[in-house]
Amino acid sequence: MYLPRQLGALHDLPDTPEAYDAVLAGVVEEALARLTPQGSLEHPDCGEDVGDTSLGVTSLLALAWQRGKDPRLPEAVRRSLAFHLRERVYTEDNPGYPNLRARHTGLPYARYVPEAGAHPIGDWPSTVWALLQAVDVLDLAEGLVEDGQRAELVEVAHGYWRWLTEATFFNPQEAANQAIGCVVGGLMLARHLPPEQARPVRSRALALYVEEIRAHRVADRGALLPPEHGGAYDNNYGPISLSFLAQAHRISGEEIFAEDGDALARYIDARLTVGGFDNGGPRYSEQHSGFESVLGLRYFSARIGSDLGRYRGDTRWGRHAVKPDGGLDGHFAWMLVWQIQDPTRWHRDPSPVPARHQLRSGTVSVAFDSRMTPSLVEAAGTYYLPAAVNRQHGFGPVVDGFLLCRPMGEVRVRDVSADGLTAKLVTKPVVGRDHVLRHVRSLYVTDGTSLWATVAVERLPGTPYLLAGLPYACDDGDRVRRTAHAEVASAGGLRLTHPRSDGVDHFDARADRTQEQAAFALAADPRGYGNPDEGWRHLVSSTALEADPAPGAPEDLHVFAVRYGPEGPFAPAFTGDGGALTVRTEAFTAVIGEAAGDARGEPELTLRAG
């Protein structure tokens, strides 16, 4: 089976002016054929996220007219704009809406579902989206929209802003992408208001960003990130927030948006595999955005000098939102408008600067979590997740059912490159059930094709083994396919084990189930609202690679050695000398210094090919 939404790399979509004109030409023909006598451009099957969709298509028609002056478009723009102003602007409170701070204000807002009280919880983001569609139309209105209609749209847009920032609680869903989008809407709106109204709108927008968004950033993997639905990052909404930060910087010039966007971009770069696969998030664990991410990934790929466009997006939404039948949906249309207007092109080369939470070379990558335990390993086109044993998740030595990967003290990292090899040494102090402090030294080396992982720890009691990952998915052309197969070699014995129970809290990689489905089955909240990462943490056991200790290691150590990647001879040798460990494989020789490290306690590592 294929993962449903992680499709092609977003930077593979052509983004030349000619390509975008072709996209707009298709939009124009579909929209003109759909336009109803009332002026609606909504998809016939649109039932949710309705409040901004017709106006979004209107903005695309306005952009197409500005670029090509198609004589059919002015009338369509005016009719569809009139429909929105007449049918999709609400001033009476929506029954059941829970987030009002002031009732019966008469301020305009957009509804997630047009029927009164049908699904009011989505009205705040729907109004943000409607504000953004409105300011896009205002930006493109010159020579197209008559003065009276334009003035009415300005008044409605200003009312949307006031409803979002005065009549309701700000960012009630704790979703940074929505909140930053609201700030962008205010900054863009201010450009269409007279100075006495523009100044307070702009200053309020900047203050909301600083006080309500930036001040509440969440730490993960050494970065401070705008929170999405209660978590630090979501691989659907996180890149969308990056797009909003890009637009905020583009239109305001405020460096705070560039600085925060750079931090988020470097974080995304570090957690992404070479193949663009990613996993995890507080609302969707395997759902990916498409065109909504392009602006931010492209804009900040140029700023940080890395190939963020390798992100595997949902290319069914590669240009604009579509319904299941493939028909145009105007939802989020402003992102297509902005990416067409932005002249930035993709940066397609990896960053040459080592990142603490990433090891990357060629087609091999390891993304590390905040504890410097691998969160995702990629080699030979296969992706490995942390395996689970006795409710403990990670990569590392297991002794008596206890996984030694959670640090009890400072984690040290050393990056080294030599002779076409790239390596990362991670040293962790850990404590087992016996309360003995041990130092786990994990060496990861890659030549860009294979990944060698060597883990050394003071001699353990019993019959320890290395928990070496859960084979989960693999590349299959432009798709990502579920798998339970692994190309892994081990110096000691190697087993691929599967849970003995078929309960929901035991994940068998051979089953017809995705990580996302299992995570939501274990989550406390319904799918689409809860945190699948929290659900996944309830996993008791999983399919797992288990590697026995390597033979011939120094007597005072247990050493585990595995190689992810193409098959071939693998017989590493190990020697100890004064606390240092020398590792010799068919591809390299590495010397890991004493667990205590150098004079500053930093781990020592030397590496050479051969």
Side-chain angles (χ1 to χ4, degrees):
M1 63 179 292
Y2 290 102
L3 300 184
R5 295 176 180 85
Q6 300 209 26
L7 305 177
L10 290 178
H11 65 199
D12 288 345
L13 293 168
D15 62 351
T16 62
E18 294 77 15
Y20 282 133
D21 282 337
V23 171
L24 289 174
V27 167
V28 165
E29 297 307 320
E30 184 176 347
L32 292 178
R34 176 187 298 172
L35 186 64
T36 68
Q38 295 76 28
S40 173
L41 288 169
E42 293 165 1
H43 188 282
D45 294 334
C46 195
E48 298 180 343
D49 270 321
V50 179
D52 71 306
T53 59
S54 182
L55 190 58
V57 180
T58 302
S59 73
L60 293 174
L61 297 184
L63 179 61
W65 184 81
Q66 294 291 355
R67 291 170 70 89
K69 296 300 189 287
D70 185 330
R72 300 174 296 171
L73 295 181
E75 178 63 20
V77 168
R78 293 165 192 154
R79 283 176 56 194
S80 58
L81 179 53
F83 167 80
H84 179 83
L85 293 172
R86 184 181 67 248
E87 302 290 342
R88 291 294 178 257
V89 178
Y90 298 86
T91 56
E92 294 182 358
D93 295 351
N94 198 355
Y97 184 70
N99 299 314
L100 291 176
R101 300 175 61 192
R103 300 181 62 195
H104 310 304
T105 62
L107 291 171
Y109 66 96
R111 286 184 179 174
Y112 181 77
V113 175
E115 291 77 20
H119 192 13
I121 194 65
D123 288 356
W124 200 87
S126 287
T127 304
V128 174
W129 310 154
L131 170 61
L132 292 170
Q133 312 286 24
V135 292
D136 269 357
V137 172
L138 290 172
D139 281 353
L140 299 163
E142 185 176 353
L144 186 61
V145 177
E146 297 173 350
D147 290 346
Q149 200 175 40
R150 182 190 178 282
E152 185 178 358
L153 183 58
V154 170
E155 183 178 358
V156 167
H158 195 191
Y160 283 157
W161 170 257
R162 292 189 59 202
W163 187 86
L164 290 164
T165 59
E166 298 174 21
T168 71
F169 289 96
F170 184 78
N171 189 22
Q173 294 184 15
E174 297 182 356
N177 73 97
Q178 300 172 8
I180 304 172
C182 183
V183 168
V184 170
L187 294 172
M188 295 182 70
L189 171 66
R191 303 186 301 182
H192 296 282
L193 298 174
E196 64 275 10
Q197 293 180 326
R199 282 189 294 270
V201 169
R202 179 183 169 89
S203 62
R204 176 70 169 145
L206 294 173
L208 284 169
Y209 181 76
V210 171
E211 298 167 9
E212 300 295 336
I213 302 171
R214 197 169 199 264
H216 298 281
R217 289 176 299 170
V218 179
D220 187 39
R221 308 185 196 195
L224 289 174
L225 308 171
E228 294 293 343
H229 294 282
Y233 177 80
D234 183 288
N235 58 15
N236 180 35
Y237 291 125
I240 296 176
S241 281
L242 192 65
S243 288
F244 282 130
L245 288 169
Q247 180 68 0
H249 185 243
R250 287 182 66 234
I251 63 173
S252 73
E254 295 288 340
E255 277 303 303
I256 191 172
F257 299 119
E259 293 169 3
D260 291 355
D262 288 350
L264 178 54
R266 291 191 180 97
Y267 171 88
I268 293 173
D269 185 40
R271 70 176 290 148
L272 271 186
T273 56
V274 171
F277 176 78
D278 188 18
N279 182 275
R283 190 165 182 186
Y284 300 111
S285 55
E286 288 176 331
Q287 295 196 35
H288 276 50
S289 48
F291 76 102
E292 317 101 292
S293 300
V294 168
L295 175 67
L297 294 170
R298 194 174 67 191
Y299 190 83
F300 285 101
S301 74
R303 282 188 56 90
I304 71 168
S306 192
D307 56 338
L308 295 180
R310 69 187 189 276
Y311 179 93
R312 280 189 186 268
D314 187 341
T315 50
R316 295 171 302 183
W317 279 39
R319 299 303 194 181
H320 49 69
V322 297
K323 288 299 183 185
D325 65 357
L328 169 69
D329 183 355
H331 189 47
F332 267 52
W334 65 84
M335 287 295 191
L336 178 57
V337 172
W338 298 344
Q339 65 173 272
I340 292 175
Q341 294 172 332
D342 178 44
T344 309
R345 299 280 72 89
W346 290 110
H347 182 99
R348 297 180 178 274
D349 299 319
S351 170
V353 181
R356 178 178 174 89
H357 297 277
Q358 176 192 56
L359 174 67
R360 179 184 175 190
S361 176
T363 59
V364 172
S365 55
V366 185
F368 295 86
D369 63 17
S370 288
R371 304 178 304 185
M372 288 305 298
T373 296
S375 61
L376 194 54
V377 170
E378 172 191 23
T382 298
Y383 302 98
Y384 302 83
L385 302 180
V389 57
N390 295 335
R391 298 188 186 275
Q392 305 159 95
H393 300 191
F395 290 74
V398 177
V399 56
D400 193 24
F402 189 82
L403 175 61
L404 299 172
C405 76
R406 290 172 299 281
M408 182 63 72
E410 191 66 26
V411 179
R412 310 286 188 136
V413 177
R414 172 65 60 88
D415 288 285
V416 172
S417 295
D419 303 329
L421 300 169
T422 306
K424 187 182 292 286
L425 173 63
V426 178
T427 301
K428 291 183 187 181
V430 299
V431 175
R433 293 194 191 279
D434 56 7
H435 294 271
V436 174
L437 180 69
R438 294 179 172 88
H439 290 83
V440 176
R441 293 176 287 173
S442 301
L443 173 65
Y444 306 90
V445 180
T446 179
D447 61 357
T449 301
S450 297
L451 173 70
W452 290 264
T454 305
V455 179
V457 62
E458 288 92 342
R459 196 88 183 166
L460 297 166
T463 55
Y465 64 88
L466 179 73
L467 195 65
L470 156 65
Y472 177 69
C474 62
D475 292 335
D476 189 352
D478 286 340
R479 303 295 302 272
V480 178
R481 178 168 50 85
R482 284 279 288 103
T483 189
H485 175 71
E487 290 186 66
V488 179
S490 173
L494 181 68
R495 300 171 296 279
L496 182 63
T497 65
H498 302 285
R500 297 179 180 177
S501 169
D502 60 359
V504 68
D505 52 356
H506 300 270
F507 188 82
D508 192 326
R510 300 168 298 180
D512 220 20
R513 174 181 286 182
T514 67
Q515 186 268 356
E516 180 180 0
Q517 291 168 334
F520 267 113
L522 293 166
D525 297 301
R527 182 183 179 88
Y529 294 97
N531 184 341
D533 281 359
E534 288 184 356
W536 187 252
R537 282 192 282 271
H538 292 296
L539 198 68
V540 174
S541 67
S542 72
T543 292
L545 286 161
E546 300 178 356
D548 289 333
E555 291 185 358
D556 60 336
L557 295 177
H558 266 124
V559 178
F560 308 88
V562 294
R563 185 190 63 205
Y564 304 84
E567 295 180 358
F570 182 59
F574 312 94
T575 55
D577 182 15
L581 175 67
T582 299
V583 181
R584 293 183 177 87
T585 74
E586 72 282 8
F588 66 87
T589 298
V591 180
I592 304 171
E594 293 188 35
D598 63 14
R600 295 180 297 119
E602 296 300 324
E604 297 177 321
L605 174 64
T606 59
L607 177 70
R608 63 177 174 82

